[in-house]
Amino acid sequence: MATKETPFADESALIRAAQSGDQAAFEQLVRTYDQGVLRLAMNLLRSPEDARDIYQETFLRVHKNLGNFRFDCSFHTWLYRIATNLCLDLLRKRKVRKEEPTVVVTPDGLLDRIDSAEEERADGDPQRRLLSGEIRSRVRNTLAQLTPRERMVFELRHYEGLRLRRIGEVLGTTEEAAKNCLFRATQKMRAALGDLA
């Protein structure tokens, strides 16, 4: 159904218009998916700077390659495949270079990026706050030790809420391969958190 914002009847018409060079149609596609791509990159990379870079690179690649989109999968899947591949590449580079610590230097001293998002409910109970911090630390450390593909599948499932079939499509693999990868990642996470359960 068309809206005031766009005269297009559906997403397919919007995509076709963007493929024909309609800049307003492309901008509408970006507005539709920009927050999802940014959230995905932030969840996977844990760095606002890297997430913004991936966000920009994703939409640059979409703009450049939109003419090659053939509607054999959903636009959402195609777009997320581009974003996740860029994230995977960056995660692999980080593993090789062993960079991107979660602790950064700020004008106020050292800051652990994961701990900067306080869980309000834990504030009233010091023991719970301590346990919550320990869980966050172990999850963060375990995520860092997963292979890039395991981490990607785990985060797409648990942070983005994608189904295994969609994760397989996004990563260009089968649902079964995504399920096996998620199983390995989950086993590692359980082993790391086992004594806290």
Side-chain angles (χ1 to χ4, degrees):
M1 176 188 296
T3 66
K4 285 184 180 180
E5 195 167 303
T6 177
F8 304 102
D10 61 15
E11 188 173 82
S12 295
L14 187 65
I15 294 166
R16 289 189 202 299
Q19 286 176 322
S20 298
D22 184 332
Q23 191 60 34
F26 181 75
E27 289 171 7
Q28 178 60 37
L29 282 173
V30 171
R31 281 192 299 275
T32 301
Y33 292 103
D34 64 347
Q35 291 305 305
V37 169
L38 192 56
R39 185 178 59 249
L40 171 71
M42 186 60 196
N43 283 341
L44 295 172
L45 302 173
R46 300 283 194 253
S47 162
E49 300 82 22
D50 287 343
R52 282 191 294 272
D53 289 346
I54 293 297
Y55 163 86
Q56 289 177 340
E57 182 63 26
T58 297
F59 284 107
L60 284 172
R61 290 196 183 186
V62 167
H63 189 267
K64 180 180 177 184
N65 296 301
L66 190 59
N68 298 328
F69 180 69
R70 299 285 175 239
F71 299 91
D72 51 353
C73 66
S74 76
F75 182 77
H76 177 268
T77 297
W78 184 72
L79 174 68
Y80 267 44
R81 186 176 299 155
I82 292 169
T84 54
N85 283 338
L86 289 168
C87 289
L88 272 173
D89 289 345
L90 186 57
L91 287 170
R92 286 184 188 115
K93 287 178 188 173
R94 279 185 190 171
K95 271 237 190 274
V96 169
R97 292 193 312 243
K98 299 288 184 204
E99 64 178 351
E100 282 303 319
T102 59
V103 177
V104 294
V105 178
T106 68
D108 299 325
L110 295 177
L111 171 72
D112 187 327
R113 289 186 249 190
I114 299 297
D115 292 337
S116 65
E118 291 281 328
E119 184 181 340
E120 290 179 24
R121 295 174 307 206
D123 287 346
D125 182 355
Q127 187 173 8
R128 185 171 171 202
R129 193 174 341 143
L130 182 64
L131 181 60
S132 179
E134 176 66 20
I135 290 171
R136 272 197 311 270
S137 176
R138 287 195 195 181
V139 167
R140 180 181 60 241
N141 291 337
T142 304
L143 283 173
Q145 293 172 9
L146 296 177
T147 67
R149 186 165 285 270
E150 287 170 345
R151 180 175 176 172
M152 184 71 61
V153 171
F154 186 87
E155 296 214 16
L156 286 172
R157 178 70 188 111
H158 293 290
Y159 294 113
E160 291 297 314
L162 296 183
R163 296 187 183 280
L164 286 168
R165 180 172 163 221
R166 176 59 64 94
I167 293 170
E169 291 171 357
V170 165
L171 295 176
T173 188
T174 64
E175 179 178 355
E176 188 63 28
K179 183 178 180 180
N180 290 336
C181 195
L182 179 63
F183 177 77
R184 288 190 306 273
T186 303
Q187 289 300 101
K188 291 175 183 178
M189 193 63 72
R190 282 188 183 141
L193 298 174
D195 63 320
L196 297 176

